[in-house]
Structures are given as C-alpha cells and as structure tokens.
C-alpha cells in the first residue's frame, strides 16, 4: 500500500514537473516571438528611416555643391553655375525679398536665399506665353506663403520665392517650371501640387551656412 501511495505521489510530482517545464518552454517561445517581432519592427523602422534620409530617395536631383563664397558685386567674375537656375556657389551677401516677384532674380542674389533655407519656384514663360500657368503658380505660391507650418521658426518669414526665369526650357528639355533648394533641383511640366509641396516641405528652413563662408 505504501508503494502505491508513493507511486501516485511520484506520478503527481512528475506531472507537476512536466507541466512546469512545458510552461517554461511556452514562456520562452512567447518571449522569443515578442522580441523577434520587436526586432523585426526595429529593423523595418530603421530601414524606412534610412531610406527616407538617403539623399537618393529625397525629392529632386542632387547637384554638386559649389560652395558658399561671397561676392562683392553681381558683376564679379566667378565659376559658372552648374544648373539652371543655380543651386549653390558664389553669391551676394544679402537676401532677396521673400515672396512673389514679377521680375527674374539675378542668380547671385537668389543663391543666398537658398543658403538661408529657402526654396525657389521659377517658371519660363517668355512674353507672357503661359498666363494660365503663371496664374496657377501665383495662387499656389500664395497658399504656401500663408501656410503657418512653413514659416521659419526664427525669422517668422516663409523662405519661399516665386519668380520668372528665362532659360529653364532650354536647360530642362522643354519643361516650364524649376524648383531649387541648396544643391537640389527638380523640373516640372505643369503645376504638380503634390510633388512641388513635397519638395518645399523637405528643404525649406534647412540652413546651409558654413562657418567662415557665405
């Protein structure tokens, strides 16, 4: 009788031990699943962030940075700019007025605006050959200039310029619109609100001053 009782107790002990082992294994599997899932999320998130920060995946075409040299006058000789309109390089020490301009802005002036985290939207409509496009761009630029989320946190201005610019068609293979930021350019055939806004939001208010230069 004592042997049977001992055997039952031993069986119960063994069952409890087996159940404990099974619970431990299940908990380990669950932890592995959870941590594995978290690790996958971290990896995916990191990849997405890396891709979003990768210059090749940001709006526009990357352009070789031509530096921040200051000029004393717009007529001062300097290296030719590597894009039309320009995106970096020698420029005047002052800023052009932000906003909508009816006249083309000299290259040497508009570059400093880009250096100060500006974005320029420029169009090529010689002899007022595309009044509808000009009207569309003017209205769109007005919306951007009044968008509080685009204002510079220090100056309170919206670092955006809209202006005509002869030569965009020849430089771009016939496109009418050029968006420029520091060392970035993108051409458009028409008013592409979504992608123009994406370009503006990506580069506006990003300062490009270099200590001791520009």
């Amino acid at each position: 009788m004592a042997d049977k009782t001992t055997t039952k107790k031993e069986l119960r002990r063994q069952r409890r031990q087996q159940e404990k082992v099974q619970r431990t294994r299940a908990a380990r599997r669950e932890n592995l699943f959870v941590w594995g899932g978290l690790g996958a999320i971290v990896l995916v998130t990191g990849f997405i962030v890396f891709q979003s920060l990768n210059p090749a995946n940001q709006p526009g075409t990357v352009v070789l940075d031509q530096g921040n040299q200051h000029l004393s006058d717009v007529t001062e000789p300097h290296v030719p700019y590597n894009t039309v309109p320009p995106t970096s390089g020698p420029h005047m020490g002052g800023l052009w007025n932000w906003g909508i301009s009816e006249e083309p802005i000299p290259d040497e002036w508009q570059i400093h605006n880009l250096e100060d985290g500006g974005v320029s939207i420029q169009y090529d409509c010689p002899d007022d050959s595309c009044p509808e496009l000009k009207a569309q761009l003017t209205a769109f630029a007005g919306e951007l200039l009044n968008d509080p989320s685009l204002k510079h946190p220090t100056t309170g201005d919206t670092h955006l310029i809209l202006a005509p610019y002869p030569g965009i068609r020849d430089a771009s293979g016939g496109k009418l619109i050029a968006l420029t930021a520091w060392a970035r350019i993108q051409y458009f055939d028409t008013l592409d609100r979504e992608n123009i806004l994406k370009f503006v939001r990506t580069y506006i208010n990003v300062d490009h001053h270099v200590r001791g230069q520009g």
Side-chain angles (χ1 to χ4, degrees):
M1 189 71 178
D3 290 341
K4 288 183 179 181
T5 301
T6 301
T7 300
K8 288 180 180 180
K9 287 182 178 179
E10 180 61 23
L11 288 173
R12 285 197 296 271
R13 187 192 68 78
Q14 291 177 0
R15 280 199 300 269
R16 286 195 298 269
Q17 184 64 28
Q18 289 174 351
E19 290 170 356
K20 182 179 180 181
V21 171
Q22 290 172 351
R23 286 194 299 271
T24 301
R25 288 175 178 173
R28 287 176 179 172
R29 286 195 297 269
E30 184 176 349
N31 287 336
L32 286 173
F33 178 78
V34 170
W35 285 108
L38 288 174
I41 291 172
V42 169
L43 286 173
V44 171
T45 302
F47 177 77
I48 292 172
V49 170
F50 172 79
Q51 289 294 89
S52 67
L53 295 177
N54 184 348
N57 295 322
Q58 293 177 341
T61 300
V62 180
V63 182
L64 178 65
D65 189 330
Q66 293 187 284
N68 303 62
Q69 177 192 347
H70 268 184
L71 301 173
S72 57
D73 188 85
V74 293
T75 61
E76 183 180 339
H78 58 76
V79 297
Y81 298 122
N82 55 8
T83 59
V84 176
T87 60
S88 67
H91 58 269
M92 297 298 293
L95 291 174
W96 201 265
N97 290 331
W98 302 108
I100 298 172
S101 173
E102 292 293 330
E103 300 296 330
I105 301 171
D107 291 347
E108 292 80 6
W109 282 99
Q110 61 175 276
I111 291 174
H112 197 152
N113 288 69
L114 302 184
E115 184 184 40
D116 273 33
V119 173
S120 290
I121 305 172
Q122 298 177 89
Y123 56 92
D124 190 358
C125 291
D127 302 320
D128 202 24
S129 57
C130 42
E132 183 178 352
L133 176 63
K134 178 181 176 182
Q136 291 174 344
L137 288 170
T138 300
F140 184 53
E143 293 175 23
L144 299 179
L145 289 166
N146 289 308
D147 184 341
S149 69
L150 296 178
K151 292 190 180 299
H152 193 279
T154 301
T155 68
D157 295 322
T158 302
H159 287 199
L160 182 81
I161 285 178
L162 173 71
Y165 192 99
I168 292 174
R169 295 184 193 220
D170 293 338
S172 65
K175 293 181 170 60
L176 305 180
I177 303 168
L179 263 69
T180 53
W182 190 265
R184 284 279 175 170
I185 192 166
Q186 187 168 10
Y187 296 110
F188 293 91
D189 288 308
T190 58
L191 174 57
D192 184 339
R193 295 176 64 95
E194 180 180 352
N195 285 309
I196 290 177
L197 181 58
K198 183 178 180 182
F199 186 101
V200 171
R201 288 198 179 279
T202 300
Y203 303 119
I204 199 166
N205 299 331
V206 179
D207 188 86
H208 296 280
H209 284 90
V210 176
R211 182 175 295 180
Q213 300 182 45

